[in-house]
Amino acid sequence: MNSTRNIISLVRRYSTSRSVKIASHGSPSTALKIENENITDKISNKDVLVEMLHAPINPADLNIIQGTYGTNVQVGGVAGMEGVGVVKKVGSGVTGLKENDLVVPSMKQHFGSWRSKGVWSEQQLFKVPSDIPTEYLSTISINPTTAYLLLNDFVKLQQGDVIIQNASNSMVGLSVIQLAKARGIKTINVIRDGSEFEDNVQRLKQLGGDIVVSEEYVRTPAFRKLISDLPSPKLALNAVGGQSATELSRILADNGTLVTYGGMSREPVTIPTSQLIFRNIQIRGFWLNKWFEQHTDSEKQSVYDAIFDLIRKKQFKLLIEKHKFSEFDQALLKSQQSGHGRKIVLDLQL
Amino acid sequence: MNSTRNIISLVRRYSTSRSVKIASHGSPSTALKIENENITDKISNKDVLVEMLHAPINPADLNIIQGTYGTNVQVGGVAGMEGVGVVKKVGSGVTGLKENDLVVPSMKQHFGSWRSKGVWSEQQLFKVPSDIPTEYLSTISINPTTAYLLLNDFVKLQQGDVIIQNASNSMVGLSVIQLAKARGIKTINVIRDGSEFEDNVQRLKQLGGDIVVSEEYVRTPAFRKLISDLPSPKLALNAVGGQSATELSRILADNGTLVTYGGMSREPVTIPTSQLIFRNIQIRGFWLNKWFEQHTDSEKQSVYDAIFDLIRKKQFKLLIEKHKFSEFDQALLKSQQSGHGRKIVLDLQL
């Protein structure tokens, strides 16, 4: 009897979590190591035991693994910036969370979401509503939030205004289209040419994109003619750099703002002097990590609420492709292929 | 008697003005034409007859002649954006000016200052004090005003703050050094290398420049070491573009602003994506013409007053080389040579 009770006790106090660790900084295909570790449910006062449900593979996650991101995650840390989990147990001093609550990272520091279970402090978690699909919740903190802030924090946009963006087929780009559409802001969307070009155009238009064109077309007089009856864009969103960013600056209205939030081409942002001096174009940058550092929980809550509200009204969709955590390698590979237009999300309990 | 009176009357009603006209857009050495024309002193109601005293040859004047500036002056117009003159006669409806007042262009539109006499409307003129040397007054509207606004309109600078600029040997650059010095702001000044490098370093230091280095030196670790005990610059002023502007962006403090007001290298402004995203560098532009369009006479007056005040206190010097208007060709040639560190000013009555 005694010995059986001891075994049961052991079983109850430890369970296994699978996690993807950064074993070295470099190519994601070789730098990561999948490890099993024991997680105790004897958690301390302020801690919360979370069973992770979903986590996306974001481009920023890959950059962190490569060691090329603005913040570093030490070797040995768990990869993954965002995700969603369900609270399994809370410490006696935890006041804001209870069992079965859904939580996402508070984004105040690197989270390490690519694992099936974890223990975090209450401050590292942020409660989210239960009526939003968990796949959506897992990707809410980075891409839709970035899109929302890009549209809100730089230029005062009103119904009928026009914006232009490149990388429009990314999840931020697709989010921008829908958030703009909901506000009556028109979008000019630039995407890469390629075999799936027509499918991409259709998808972006279905989501509400007003104009969808290729990077090459933007440089033609025909494009200028196409947009000639629209007001000039007050805001340009750049995640590419190089020639693509330069073109956006030329199309901006006088006094317009170009915001860079990514650099997919790995080329710098190059702006003709005349655009800066004679047309008063402003060049800014946006980094979500910094935004989270500098803003309160209630400011974050109101951004999330705005997005949740649109999701409930079916005005905001996320295109997601789920992969089992047990098939991580394929998911990682897929996430590195460009142009498939869907976010790869890990199903962490499978 | 009668016939003599008529002749005297003719002599009194007309006098000759020599002016430099833009005969075509192109190289200043071939595009300009010096013309004599009769100026009547029978001026209308709102007009003012001005005898011009001095006018500088600014780089922007050359760009206007070349047809590469943001505003165009039609072929046939008189060249020269700024200068100073003395009022010789006012129309009966003129209320703000009287004979012997000193005036500079109001800068609301192209002035055409390279002439010995001219008739302008009261609105095109702006009264300036008589206790400032007229050579200084002739160059006050563009270079010192630009320097003042670059230091005031973009970043809130306080005593002990640091700024960095390239083209520091230009008249704007020299003005920035002195205006910053008067406010207790430290300057890092980048100039081109060359035969007169040591002389230039000495001159800039005498005017109050804290650090003076060459474009090449800025890229070295030794430069980083040299500035390591200073606070990082909050503001960078760029009139060069290309690699020089890129280097300024790297040296800026996080959240710093790079303002472009010229593009001497004819290369665009190129900023690494990481500076924009992770360090929140902002890239802006400044165009004085636009500033004059958007600001009132009293705002302009207070900028001029601040500069006049420093001139009176001998805290602000302009390095000027005067040339006779009758030797315009040599003056023009001299103004196109770089690195002599003095502003070429035409003496329009000689």
Side-chain angles (χ1 to χ4, degrees), chain A residues 196-235:
Chain A
E196 294 181 48
F197 180 73
E198 280 309 325
D199 289 350
N200 286 332
V201 171
Q202 283 318 307
R203 184 170 56 241
L204 268 61
K205 290 204 166 182
Q206 273 162 20
L207 288 175
D210 296 281
I211 290 179
V212 186
V213 291
S214 71
E215 292 279 2
E216 289 71 30
Y217 194 72
V218 166
R219 297 172 211 163
T220 64
F223 173 70
R224 292 289 184 149
K225 208 176 159 195
L226 175 69
I227 61 168
S228 62
D229 58 347
L230 285 179
S232 295
K234 290 181 177 174
L235 177 68

Side-chain angles (χ1 to χ4, degrees), chain A residues 289-343:
Chain A
N289 293 47
K290 189 60 81 177
W291 190 91
F292 279 120
E293 264 178 38
Q294 294 174 336
H295 291 79
T296 63
D297 277 358
S298 93
E299 288 169 311
K300 178 165 58 181
Q301 185 72 59
S302 73
V303 173
Y304 286 179
D305 283 347
I307 299 165
F308 293 150
D309 192 44
L310 291 174
I311 293 171
R312 290 185 187 111
K313 290 196 233 160
K314 308 222 179 298
Q315 292 182 288
F316 190 83
K317 256 201 258 186
L318 295 170
L319 306 178
I320 282 169
E321 182 178 302
K322 280 200 280 183
H323 286 251
K324 291 180 191 169
F325 196 20
S326 56
E327 294 165 2
F328 176 76
D329 289 351
Q330 288 103 301
L332 183 66
L333 218 62
K334 193 71 187 283
S335 75
Q336 292 172 285
Q337 293 161 4
S338 67
H340 52 80
R342 286 177 300 281
K343 177 66 62 178

Side-chain angles (χ1 to χ4, degrees), chain B residues 196-214:
Chain B
E196 294 181 49
F197 180 72
E198 281 309 324
D199 289 349
N200 287 331
V201 171
Q202 283 319 308
R203 185 169 56 241
L204 269 61
K205 290 204 165 182
Q206 272 162 21
L207 288 175
D210 296 279
I211 291 178
V212 186
V213 292
S214 72

